[in-house]
Structures are given as structure tokens and as C-alpha cells.
Amino acid sequence: MIKGKKILGIIPARSGSKELPRKNILPLVGKPLIVWTIEAAEGSKYIDRCIVSTDGEEIAEVAEKY
């Protein structure tokens, strides 16, 4: 919350990467890349609620777990 206003964090996670297919769900130091972003948003003192927006079913499944 900033100055009495709630903050919504939005994480866009597109599934169609040309350079590195499925990059958002590939492991990076033991966990999927998208999880690092979700955990950072959850750990922020400024973000009250966070959602992941994606067009990929696999990404959505991983995001829902975390």
C-alpha cells in the first residue's frame, strides 16, 4: 500500500518465446523462471495483490502452484 492506495502487480508471461521456447517454466537455480518473479512480487512491501497474465496453459499451471 502506498499512501493509502492498494497496489496490484501484474506479471505478463507470454508463452511464445522465439529465442528460448518455454523459458518461463524452465528451471533457473532450482525453480521455474516465473516463480522467481512471483516470489519477488509477493515479497514486495508495496504490492498488495499480484496476478499472472499468460496465454500458456503450462505457465498458468506453474503460476497457480506458487
Side-chain angles (χ1 to χ4, degrees), residues 1-22:
M1 192 173 286
I2 298 175
K3 296 183 181 181
K5 296 185 180 184
K6 291 187 176 185
I7 305 299
L8 172 64
I10 301 172
I11 301 171
R14 202 170 58 87
S15 65
S17 175
K18 293 178 183 177
E19 295 291 322
L20 190 58
R22 302 176 66 232

Side-chain angles (χ1 to χ4, degrees), residues 11-14 17 20-41 52 58-59 62-63 66:
I11 301 171
R14 202 170 58 87
S17 175
L20 190 58
R22 302 176 66 232
K23 71 178 173 194
N24 286 304
I25 57 173
L26 291 177
L28 177 68
V29 193
K31 52 188 163 184
L33 178 63
I34 190 74
V35 175
W36 290 97
T37 308
I38 293 168
E39 289 178 350
V52 175
E58 286 181 300
I59 297 170
V62 171
Y66 294 91

Side-chain angles (χ1 to χ4, degrees), residues 44-60:
S44 171
K45 65 181 181 178
Y46 300 108
I47 298 174
D48 297 295
R49 183 170 179 229
C50 184
I51 61 171
V52 175
S53 174
T54 184
D55 59 351
E57 195 170 312
E58 286 181 300
I59 297 170

